[in-house]
Amino acid sequence: MRAEHTETLYAAIAAVGLLAVVLLIWLAVMSRRLSRLSRQYRAMIDGTGVADLETVIVGLQQRAAGAEREIGRLSDGLGRLEEKVRLSAGQIGVVRYNAFKEQGSDLSFAVAIVNDERSGVVLSGIHSRDETFVYAKPVIGGESSYPLTPEERQAIEQAGRQPAAAAASRHERR
C-alpha cells in the first residue's frame, strides 16, 4: 500500500508541478499584456498633464461639447449667409437691340440685375444718332411700377433663369 500512496503522491506532485508551469506561463502572458496596456495608457495620458484617465475623458467630452456648439453657431451663420446670397442681386441679363430700326445697329441695351426672387433693377440705354438716354427701373418679383419694354422683360427673364450659384461661379472663373 505504501507504493500505491507513493505513486499517488508522485502523481499529485506532478499535477501540481504541471499546474504551476501552466500558471507561470499564464502569468507571463498576462504580465506582457498588462505591460503593453500600461505603455498604451501612458502614451494616451502623456502630454495632458493629468494622471488619471477619467480627467482626460471628461476634458475630451467638454471639448467635444464646445466643438458641437461651435458647429451649431457656424451652421446658423452659414444659413444666414445663404439667405443673403439668395436675396442679393447677383444674376444679370443683357439684351442688346436696335431701338430705331431705320438707323444704327444694336447699340441700345437693357441690363437686368436681379436676385433669386427676380427683384432688383433694370437699366435701359436707348441710343440714337446724337445721344443716349439711360433709364433705371426698380423690379420686384419680375415686375416694375414703371412700364417695362419687351427688351427689359427679356433681360429680366434671362437674369431670372440663372441660379445664384452659377452666376457666382461664373464670376469666380473670370
Side-chain angles (χ1 to χ4, degrees):
M1 213 165 194
R2 272 189 149 18
E4 217 174 77
H5 284 295
T6 306
E7 284 180 20
T8 306
L9 184 61
Y10 287 143
I13 291 173
V16 168
L18 183 60
L19 184 60
V21 169
V22 169
L23 287 175
L24 282 173
I25 292 172
W26 181 75
L27 182 63
V29 169
M30 289 297 121
S31 176
R32 190 167 188 207
R33 284 187 183 174
L34 181 61
S35 175
R36 188 172 3 143
L37 283 174
S38 180
R39 276 194 313 272
Q40 289 173 344
Y41 177 78
R42 280 192 304 275
M44 185 173 62
I45 298 296
D46 192 32
T48 63
V50 180
D52 65 345
L53 186 58
E54 183 179 350
T55 307
V56 172
I57 291 173
V58 168
L60 288 173
Q61 287 175 332
Q62 290 171 345
R63 287 175 52 193
E68 227 173 86
R69 283 190 300 275
E70 183 67 9
I71 288 170
R73 187 186 69 76
L74 292 172
S75 181
D76 291 344
L78 180 61
R80 287 190 302 274
L81 285 174
E82 286 174 341
E83 182 66 12
K84 281 183 180 182
V85 167
R86 189 181 68 77
L87 295 176
S88 68
Q91 295 133 308
I92 300 172
V94 178
V95 176
R96 291 179 57 115
Y97 63 98
N98 185 355
F100 306 103
K101 300 292 183 207
E102 67 277 353
Q103 64 179 356
S105 61
D106 291 347
L107 296 177
S108 296
F109 62 88
V111 176
I113 304 170
V114 298
N115 61 16
D116 284 350
E117 295 175 352
R118 294 178 46 212
S119 296
V121 66
V122 64
L123 303 170
S124 295
I126 304 200
H127 179 74
S128 69
R129 181 174 291 195
D130 298 327
E131 46 195 14
T132 298
F133 297 95
V134 178
Y135 303 95
K137 299 176 185 176
V139 177
I140 298 173
E143 294 296 325
S144 178
S145 56
Y146 300 94
L148 294 171
T149 66
E151 293 83 10
E152 290 169 334
R153 288 188 185 282
Q154 184 180 354
I156 292 168
E157 287 303 314
Q158 187 183 83
R161 285 193 299 265
Q162 302 172 13
S169 68
R170 201 173 46 252
H171 178 70
E172 287 172 3
R173 280 184 269 162
R174 289 183 193 163

